[in-house]
């Protein structure tokens, strides 16, 4: 049994660990966006496949029996490529998606459909923006006038990006105390986040709630139609075990 995990997430890593410990042959695929990713068990390949056809070819050439798309909920292209590649190569596909966040009492959330809409929204909510949407989508905020940005990312961002910004290089998990400190130290009055879900980056939401800071939250793209979804690593591992039969 050879399982290809499309990774780049905490869940992808934990799934690789679980399957590897169960004696399953695992290959984790990373896009190569992070300069020094944490080590993973099993085999690892890095870089794009060359679209859905390239992925289908890779699956055939490496005798992959099942694909688990454990990419980030906002990595929409690779998920659609995986759906197409699985259909053409007749290999079962599962999407592993941690549930999104839901607001609780005291939250002041402003849901938007895209980073572009987030950029249009921040200006009317605040002037000192904590931007936690990653370094890849900064171009959307490059033309927001009158605002200063604190950009948190794993690796340094490249232009285009907002003219007035400071970069905080860091990688989750983050703590509530740490997030309170960030909001206080930088005088943040609006937070921007994707609805990534999961515990590792959730403390910023609690810190924003406590401080009365509004949150612009970018909604997730849909999972490709017809692809079954697992919410936890355990469910995904059970799915793989059932395929191994
Ligand atoms: P994307 O827009 O869906 O993918 C763009 C292209 O990158 C894909 O067409 C594919 O190239 C390649 N790619 C993406 N994920 C890959 C993987 N796991 N293995 C091999 N190739 C991959 O993805 P993205 O938003 O740029 O994210 C890239 C990676 O970063 C993903 O693996 C994701 O899990 C991780 N990540 C993303 C976010 C986010 O907010 N988007 C946050 C945290 C982590 P080809 O077409 O050439 O195959």
């Amino acid at each position: 049994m050879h399982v290809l995990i499309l990774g780049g997430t905490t869940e992808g890593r934990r799934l690789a660990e679980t399957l590897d410990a169960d004696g399953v042959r695992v290959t984790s695929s990373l896009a190569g966006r992070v300069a020094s990713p944490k080590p993973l068990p099993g085999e690892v390949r890095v870089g794009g496949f060359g679209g859905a056809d390239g992925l289908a070819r890779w699956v055939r050439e490496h005798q992959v029996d099942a694909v688990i798309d454990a990419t980030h909920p906002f990595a929409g292209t690779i998920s659609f490529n995986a759906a197409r590649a699985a259909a053409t190569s007749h290999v079962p596909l599962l999407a592993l998606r941690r549930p999104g966040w839901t607001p609780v009492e005291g939250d002041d959330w402003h849901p938007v459909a895209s980073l572009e809409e987030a950029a249009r929204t921040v200006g009317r909510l605040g002037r000192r923006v904590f931007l936690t949407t990653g370094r890849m989508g900064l171009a959307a905020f490059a033309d927001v006038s009158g605002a200063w940005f604190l950009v948190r990312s794993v690796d340094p961002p490249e232009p285009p990006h907002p003219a007035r910004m400071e970069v905080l290089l860091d990688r989750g998990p983050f703590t509530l105390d740490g997030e309170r400190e960030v909001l206080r130290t930088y005088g943040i009055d609006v937070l921007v986040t994707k609805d990534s879900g999961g515990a590792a980056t959730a403390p910023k939401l609690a810190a924003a709630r406590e401080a009365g800071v509004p949150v612009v939250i970018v909604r997730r793209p849909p999972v490709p139609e017809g692809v079954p979804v697992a919410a936890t690593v355990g469910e995904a591992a059970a799915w793989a075990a059932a395929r191994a039969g």
Side-chain angles (χ1 to χ4, degrees):
M1 174 81 172
H2 182 197
V3 177
L4 173 64
I5 299 176
L6 303 171
T9 55
T10 308
E11 286 75 12
R13 164 181 311 284
R14 285 182 35 228
L15 181 63
E17 288 164 357
T18 304
L19 295 182
D20 185 66
D22 289 347
V24 176
R25 180 181 167 204
V26 181
T27 301
S28 293
S29 175
L30 305 176
R33 302 279 191 277
V34 174
S36 51
K38 293 183 195 164
L40 280 155
E43 297 159 52
V44 178
R45 65 161 304 288
V46 180
F49 294 94
D53 293 344
L55 176 52
R57 203 173 317 118
W58 200 97
V59 161
R60 277 194 307 274
E61 286 175 359
H62 294 80
Q63 279 106 39
V64 170
D65 299 298
V67 179
I68 300 182
D69 169 18
T71 58
H72 191 271
F74 282 83
T77 308
I78 186 74
S79 295
F80 276 89
N81 288 352
R84 271 186 51 205
T88 55
S89 48
H90 306 290
V91 167
L93 168 69
L94 177 78
L96 171 55
R97 289 284 181 281
R98 57 178 101 125
W101 292 313
T102 42
V104 299
E105 201 177 330
D107 278 325
D108 178 15
W109 284 13
H110 300 258
V112 293
S114 63
L115 290 175
E116 289 68 25
E117 192 184 343
R120 289 194 295 273
T121 307
V122 282
R124 57 180 177 78
L125 293 172
R127 286 282 169 270
R128 296 185 65 82
V129 186
F130 185 18
L131 197 51
T132 64
T133 47
R135 72 190 168 99
M136 303 306 288
L138 290 185
F141 299 88
D143 296 327
V144 177
S145 59
W148 172 91
F149 290 83
L150 177 65
V151 172
R152 182 163 66 192
S153 59
V154 177
D155 291 310
E158 284 158 21
H161 55 59
R164 296 175 58 224
M165 72 165 190
E166 187 168 331
V167 177
L168 201 53
L169 291 182
D170 209 349
R171 178 183 347 222
F174 300 104
T175 64
L176 179 55
D177 277 348
E179 300 295 50
R180 284 177 178 139
E181 183 68 22
V182 170
L183 298 191
R184 204 170 34 234
T185 305
Y186 293 92
I188 298 300
D189 57 14
V190 55
L191 165 70
V192 184
T193 180
K194 293 174 178 169
D195 181 14
S196 302
T201 58
K204 63 188 167 189
L205 300 171
R209 185 184 316 127
E210 282 177 11
V213 167
V215 178
V216 177
I217 184 155
V218 185
R219 286 193 212 96
R220 296 171 168 210
V223 173
E225 221 176 299
V227 176
V229 180
T232 64
V233 169
E235 275 176 46
W239 179 87
R243 303 284 94 44

